[in-house]
Amino acid sequence: MSEAPNRWDHDVEVMIDAERIAARTRELGQEITAFYKNSPVCVISILKGSVIFAADLVRALDLPLSMEFVGISSYGNETESSGVVQITADLTRSIEGLDVLIVEDIIDTGLTMRYLLENLATRHPKSLRVCTLLHKPEGARVKVPMDWVGFTIPNAFVIGYGLDYAGLYRNLPYIGVYRGPTSED
Ligand code: 5GP
């Protein structure tokens, strides 16, 4: 995976299809709705990867909620987390005293989430909880709290449904493993 793809005849092995994602998102929505019981929640979607999941998840939540976004960029190569994280877009309001739900696409080493939790905790929310669509337990380097997990997956680099490879493939409706272009020419 050294070259960035610039073509669309990709070979992707489907890992989780759109129907399974939708069904699990509905379940998570019910669990989270029951947990917060009508109290207002500030949902923080982590840019860019979690945007598609967050958009579907919030529509499965029967709660008074607001949405915020935090942009994160991590240094290091594209397929491995360095844990050195920079906030590229910050919240537009204070989260002091609020029940905050972080919505993330994937937790691998846990380094990004650890940084985020530490950073957001300094802003004194009433509570800070985490919902991640995907979790790769084999990659864990630090333990981070995960209140809701969509799917636990093996240690493969996945794309689609918000997740990119070199900026592409976020719009695939499923989660899959990128195998490269279908033909070499
Ligand atoms: P961590 O810091 O937990 O290792 O990784 C978190 C971030 O790394 C995710 O938010 C995501 O941006 C990226 N990442 C980790 N694993 C994958 C993967 O399999 N596919 C993609 N597209 N990004 C990943």
Side-chain angles (χ1 to χ4, degrees):
M1 283 203 200
S2 52
E3 275 178 38
N6 58 4
R7 46 198 293 168
W8 198 238
D9 56 339
H10 46 266
D11 183 3
V12 182
E13 184 189 322
V14 177
M15 184 186 271
I16 307 169
D17 66 26
E19 287 70 26
R20 279 183 70 203
I21 298 171
R24 185 72 186 117
T25 303
R26 278 195 298 276
E27 281 175 6
L28 289 169
Q30 286 167 3
E31 288 173 26
I32 295 169
T33 298
F35 179 83
Y36 286 106
K37 297 191 191 73
N38 282 329
S39 332
V41 179
C42 177
V43 173
I44 301 183
S45 163
I46 309 305
L47 299 170
K48 302 173 185 168
S50 85
V51 160
I52 292 183
F53 174 48
D56 284 341
L57 183 67
V58 292
R59 284 177 287 177
L61 296 179
D62 188 9
L63 292 171
L65 65 82
S66 57
M67 287 189 82
E68 286 290 322
F69 299 88
V70 170
I72 286 283
S73 94
S74 60
Y75 298 102
N77 68 40
E78 282 152 14
T79 58
E80 206 173 293
S81 176
S82 65
V84 184
V85 173
Q86 187 187 19
I87 292 192
T88 55
D90 209 343
L91 302 173
T92 60
R93 61 177 290 201
S94 163
I95 55 167
E96 190 170 343
L98 302 183
D99 285 313
V100 169
L101 176 65
I102 303 173
V103 176
E104 180 58 301
D105 52 359
I106 185 163
I107 295 179
D108 181 14
T109 63
L111 293 165
T112 304
M113 186 53 71
R114 181 175 69 176
Y115 173 87
L116 261 174
L117 286 166
E118 284 172 4
N119 183 296
L120 295 176
T122 64
R123 308 175 197 210
H124 307 296
K126 183 171 154 203
S127 68
L128 200 46
R129 291 199 159 74
V130 175
C131 176
T132 184
L133 174 65
L134 303 172
H135 177 217
K136 288 200 278 195
E138 287 164 55
R141 281 175 54 194
V142 291
K143 206 167 153 38
V144 286
M146 281 171 250
D147 300 277
W148 294 278
V149 175
F151 301 94
T152 299
I153 62 165
N155 208 6
F157 186 80
V158 289
I159 57 166
Y161 196 68
L163 291 145
D164 75 310
Y165 170 54
L168 297 180
Y169 306 112
R170 294 189 196 276
N171 54 322
L172 298 179
Y174 52 83
I175 291 158
V177 181
Y178 182 68
R179 300 284 188 211
T182 34
S183 57
E184 295 293 338
D185 53 18

